Amino acid sequence: MPRPIWSGAISFGLVTIPIKVVNATEDHSISFRQVHLADMGRVRYRKVCELDGKQLTDDEIIKGYEISRDRLVPVTDDELAQMPLPTARAIEIVAFVPAQSIDPVRIGDSYYLEAAADVAAKPYKLLRQALERSAKVAVAKFALRGRERLGLLRVKGDALVLHSMHWPDEIRSPAELAPPTVEIDESEIDGAIALMEAMGQDDLAAYHDEYREALEQVIAAKAEGKQPPSAEAAPEPAGQVVDLMAALNESVQKAREARGDGEHATVHDMPKPKKKLATKTTAKTAKKATAKKTTSKKVAAKKATPSRGKPRAS
């Protein structure tokens, strides 16, 4: 388990839970150094004052806020640490909301919360079980890395997880990105659902970073003085979809083949285009035609049959 990046407490009403914050994720990306192409010398960045040209150490540098082009207001780390912020050393829970009410777009980095001492075990477990039983998540405010943040507390296994969240005014509206209004047939929706079922997956553990693996192969080959493996030819981009149902049918078939589904496949068959409306209309038309034909025969028969109440004229 990595080292804690922050220590404080969860403020839960009048309950205080001492905790340590630990990164819940790790980055496996491959990083590079910048080098001089001619001689492979390292390229380094130096912090130089633009007024006197002097190279500075970190101890000589503080933060400054630019009020105007020619005026900066200095702000020291001590001044930031002494700000009257109630969330400076606490994760203050401000509300409990249904889990499904949180927009995933707002969720950022994730952190595990570790009980900091034996005294924290009982209130930690209490909060965890209360969240589980209520099917809710906690919305909290906390300060981390020089700014106050909005957070989300939820349960993962036997631990509590803290997700940083964007403030409401930081979320852009997607309204202008919506496509123009189009008509979608019910059979097309059913076809898309069938494709979703064919592509269903319960466990994502099989997925991995293929780009990083390919990059490792390139680096290994270069280190051994060999030629890096060449990339395979990229597939031709698909053209514009004209027949949506045909594309869905083909996609479902390919998804089944990729999963190895045979005769015991659990996915549904692709729906056929619905023709209920047309069938009903045809039936009604035929019924009306039959009724009209029957009425015409009755009228003709009545005209042809002589009346029994009057004698025929001689």
Side-chain angles (χ1 to χ4, degrees):
M1 184 65 70
R3 294 175 57 185
I5 62 171
W6 188 89
S7 296
I10 300 174
S11 176
F12 174 31
L14 297 178
V15 178
T16 299
I17 311 172
I19 53 92
K20 295 179 181 178
V21 178
V22 179
N23 280 318
T25 60
E26 54 187 4
D27 188 3
H28 290 167
S29 300
I30 296 175
S31 59
F32 294 95
R33 303 290 187 182
Q34 289 190 325
V35 295
H36 184 198
L37 177 61
D39 55 15
M40 295 302 292
R42 286 276 300 275
V43 177
R44 300 182 182 274
Y45 292 96
R46 291 181 171 86
K47 298 176 181 179
V48 177
C49 176
E50 65 177 15
L51 296 180
D52 59 16
K54 179 182 176 182
Q55 182 176 336
L56 306 176
T57 64
D58 290 340
D59 295 337
E60 299 175 287
I61 300 174
I62 63 171
K63 296 179 176 65
Y65 182 81
E66 187 175 0
I67 294 180
S68 62
R69 186 173 182 180
D70 299 323
R71 185 183 176 193
L72 294 169
V73 175
V75 180
T76 66
D77 291 338
D78 289 339
E79 289 171 335
L80 294 175
Q82 295 173 9
M83 287 176 56
L85 193 64
T87 56
R89 303 305 299 174
I91 299 173
E92 180 186 358
I93 295 178
V94 295
F96 292 92
V97 299
Q100 63 271 18
S101 68
I102 300 297
D103 184 355
V105 172
R106 298 185 62 176
I107 296 178
D109 295 331
S110 303
Y111 308 93
Y112 288 137
L113 302 183
E114 177 188 1
D118 292 341
V119 69
K122 187 171 182 178
Y124 186 100
K125 185 175 181 180
L126 172 65
L127 177 57
R128 189 195 71 209
Q129 291 188 341
L131 289 173
E132 282 182 324
R133 188 169 300 181
S134 66
K136 290 186 176 182
V137 294
V139 177
K141 295 173 68 178
F142 67 103
L144 180 65
R145 292 169 180 163
R147 56 172 294 194
E148 187 175 53
R149 303 168 186 262
L150 195 63
L152 171 71
L153 270 77
R154 69 176 183 89
V155 177
K156 181 176 174 60
D158 292 332
L160 292 173
V161 183
L162 172 67
H163 301 282
S164 64
M165 290 203 303
H166 296 286
W167 296 97
D169 60 355
E170 294 178 330
I171 305 299
R172 295 174 177 170
S173 172
E176 61 184 21
L177 305 177
T181 303
V182 293
E183 295 295 330
I184 301 294
D185 189 77
E186 285 295 324
S187 60
E188 294 172 337
I189 298 176
D190 292 340
I193 293 175
L195 177 56
M196 291 167 61
E197 292 177 349
M199 296 176 65
Q201 201 62 264
D202 296 327
D203 186 10
L204 302 182
Y207 295 97
H208 54 278
D209 188 349
E210 296 182 6
Y211 177 84
R212 179 172 61 88
E213 292 178 354
L215 185 55
E216 288 174 347
Q217 293 178 7
V218 170
I219 294 174
K222 296 275 288 183
E224 296 175 2
K226 299 179 181 178
Q227 185 69 21
S230 58
E232 298 180 359
E236 290 293 330
Q240 184 178 1
V241 176
V242 178
D243 189 339
L244 190 55
M245 284 302 298
L248 288 169
N249 273 292
E250 184 178 353
S251 299
V252 168
Q253 184 62 33
K254 288 183 177 180
R256 289 178 176 175
E257 292 174 356
R259 286 176 47 170
D261 287 336
E263 57 183 5
H264 301 295
T266 57
V267 294
H268 298 296
D269 292 332
M270 282 290 294
K272 296 180 180 179
K274 298 181 178 180
K275 299 181 179 180
K276 292 183 178 180
L277 183 61
T279 303
K280 288 182 178 180
T281 305
T282 305
K284 287 182 179 179
T285 305
K287 188 174 181 181
K288 288 181 179 180
T290 303
K292 186 175 181 181
K293 187 175 181 181
T294 304
T295 304
S296 300
K297 287 183 179 180
K298 289 181 178 180
V299 172
K302 188 174 182 179
K303 289 181 179 180
T305 303
S307 177
R308 294 181 181 180
K310 295 181 181 180
R312 293 183 179 180
S314 56

